[in-house]
Amino acid sequence: MTDTVPPGTDNVRERASAALDAVGATLPVGHGLTARTPITGEDLFELHATTEQETEDAIAAAEAAFRVWRTTPAPARGELVRRLGDLLRAHQGDLADLITIEAGKIRSEALGEVQEMIDICDFAVGLSRQLYGRSIASERPGHRLAETWHPLGVVGVISAFNFPAAVWSWNTAVALVCGDPVVWKPSEATPLISLACGHLVDRAVREVGAPPAVHQVLFGDRRVGEQLVDDSRVALVSATGSTRMGREVGPRVAARFGRCLLELGGNNASVVAPSADLDLALHGVVFAAAGTAGQRCTTLRRLIVHRSIADEFVDRLVAAYRKLPVGDPFAEGTLVGPLVSAAAAEGMRQALEKAVAEGGEVLVGGGARLVDEVPNASYVEPAVVRMPEQSAIVRQETFAPILYVLTYDDFDEAIALHNGVPQGLSSSVFTRDQQEAERFLAADGSDCGITNVNIGTSGAEIGGAFGGEKETGGGRESGSDAWRAYMRRATNTVNYSSELTLAQNVSFL
């Protein structure tokens, strides 16, 4: 591995300031929230944290904005999102800089995240003219049965650090064209990119004449999120984070009969069959497992390889891992940036210890890098661990670049191993056998919300609905018909006859 030494904190701070200036955003002066960078592990700025009263005011303003926004024609709402997409295009490099600075993503991944935001804006603009209902055959003569979709209300978005802007955009672009104001509580770890995105929405709002409170950003810790979760004026809470967080958020929103959209943990697996193109599989596995330093919800964490090819494939995998460049995410050629925090690195270390205690063998990686150069940061070597079985640690999600390797003898066993975890987000199979591919996609195949053939588990497109099953939460965001989560359905019966005919042949009076 060739390390690339990151720049100093002053350099990173200057780059962050330049990006914010280019976007036109101003740091909220105050205290209570610290912007830091995992590139050096040090603080950048002190920011004002949103108070309880400011959160209350924001929710009230969003509720008032809803009364105007819900009756604004949907194509006019789409014009706001169209303008936002234009601004994102104009500032793609600036926003990518902030994502790298706060989340540690390498340059291509940071630019890709902003492209994803642009893409969902394009999708949502088209959607603003396609919020279709249905005509339904009525059993009664002279009656018309139909369904219509109406704006739902204020949407509270709680996002995580690893996709600090894209997940927000999935929710916001769609919610806005559906007629819902958005109140966004970003991760405490990524206030700068959130500030920049919020400023661009504010600018688009002014330029198209939308209600000012149709989008607001709240900076703070979990107390701000709890206000959104518990406030009955917030019709939908879309929360991305750990399964533990979801166990708290879901019941609290349900207790007030609100709606939840949860995107929680993933413990994703790929099956590599004997017929697989091993070159293709190697590329797919390495990116899915080591990309974003293992900090995607769709990161590949379990590799299930047929016993007949396991030794050959694992040897090639280990060789590829030894060549992964670790270090400065801004540097050309770097493929693995830093973990977000020292706590993440400690979680990785503990997981590897447990894996060894449960019979595993660490084949490559697991060590710290650049300790002398940036002692406050957390750069690690992505690890491959051969496991004798799907033990307790394998069934847990560790948000770090650890890939557990398991073997199988027949395809039914592979599917059972694949499905034998509490999470159900993303999955894939590498095979040239059509029967195996179709079986993996079938009702008795993968139990995940995302199921792929001959690609890895990460890198979903915005055109499809994103989300998973089981402890992943069951929510769906982004494309397809995920827009329905942000609207309410009304079933309409219109009697255009002169007779009052009752359904089911009921006779009365």
Side-chain angles (χ1 to χ4, degrees), residues 88-345:
L88 294 175
R89 283 182 174 87
H91 293 285
Q92 185 169 11
D94 303 315
L95 297 172
D97 278 356
L98 294 172
I99 290 171
T100 295
I101 287 167
E102 291 192 297
K105 289 189 178 183
I106 63 172
R107 186 65 176 171
S108 66
E109 290 195 78
L111 286 167
E113 178 163 354
V114 185
Q115 185 60 51
E116 196 167 337
M117 299 163 67
I118 295 167
D119 293 345
I120 195 63
C121 285
D122 288 349
F123 177 91
V125 172
L127 178 65
S128 69
R129 295 180 183 271
Q130 301 178 73
L131 300 173
Y132 299 139
R134 297 178 182 177
S135 293
I136 304 167
S138 175
E139 66 187 63
R140 291 171 281 184
H143 286 64
R144 181 170 61 85
L145 190 60
E147 67 178 24
T148 52
W149 292 86
H150 301 294
L152 178 64
V154 177
V155 172
V157 177
I158 301 173
S159 59
F161 81 88
N162 59 329
F163 276 84
V167 172
W168 159 77
S169 70
W170 296 350
N171 285 276
T172 298
V174 174
L176 288 175
V177 300
C178 287
D180 304 330
V182 172
V183 181
W184 178 26
K185 191 275 178 196
S187 167
E188 301 97 301
T190 55
L192 302 182
I193 181 61
S194 311
L195 179 69
C197 291
H199 175 80
L200 293 180
V201 180
D202 290 346
R203 179 175 164 185
V205 163
R206 291 194 301 271
E207 290 179 0
V208 304
V214 80
H215 182 270
Q216 298 167 88
V217 188
L218 309 178
F219 299 100
D221 59 19
R222 62 174 287 155
R223 289 172 293 183
V224 176
E226 286 174 343
Q227 275 188 263
L228 291 176
V229 166
D230 293 334
D231 198 306
S232 61
R233 294 169 294 181
V234 179
L236 170 67
V237 175
S238 177
T240 302
S242 66
T243 299
R244 176 199 56 77
M245 179 207 70
R247 292 189 196 283
E248 294 185 40
V249 170
R252 289 172 69 161
V253 176
R256 60 174 178 82
F257 297 100
R259 289 195 199 176
C260 248
L261 198 165
L262 298 176
E263 297 288 358
L264 309 176
N267 192 353
N268 315 294
S270 287
V271 176
V272 182
S275 66
D277 179 331
L278 295 189
D279 290 333
L280 183 74
L282 184 67
H283 282 88
V285 166
V286 173
F287 169 66
T292 326
Q295 297 172 119
R296 289 181 179 228
C297 53
T298 54
T299 289
L300 178 61
R301 309 200 182 280
R302 297 175 297 132
L303 185 65
I304 303 167
V305 190
H306 193 272
R307 195 178 304 278
S308 66
I309 59 169
D311 290 343
E312 175 192 355
F313 190 72
V314 170
D315 285 347
R316 294 182 63 180
L317 184 64
V318 168
Y321 264 56
R322 293 192 192 281
K323 298 175 183 177
L324 288 174
V326 177
D328 176 14
F330 278 118
E332 184 177 353
T334 297
L335 294 180
V336 182
L339 292 180
V340 70
S341 66

Side-chain angles (χ1 to χ4, degrees), residues 5-16 37 39-44 101 328 330 373-374 379:
V5 179
T9 300
D10 288 343
N11 180 286
V12 176
R13 185 180 293 111
E14 290 173 6
R15 191 159 185 167
T37 178
I39 295 175
T40 64
E42 295 180 351
D43 296 345
L44 298 176
I101 287 167
D328 176 14
F330 278 118
E373 293 84 351
V374 274
Y379 291 86

Side-chain angles (χ1 to χ4, degrees), residues 353-365:
E353 281 188 358
K354 291 177 182 177
V356 171
E358 293 172 4
E361 179 187 0
V362 179
L363 303 179
V364 66

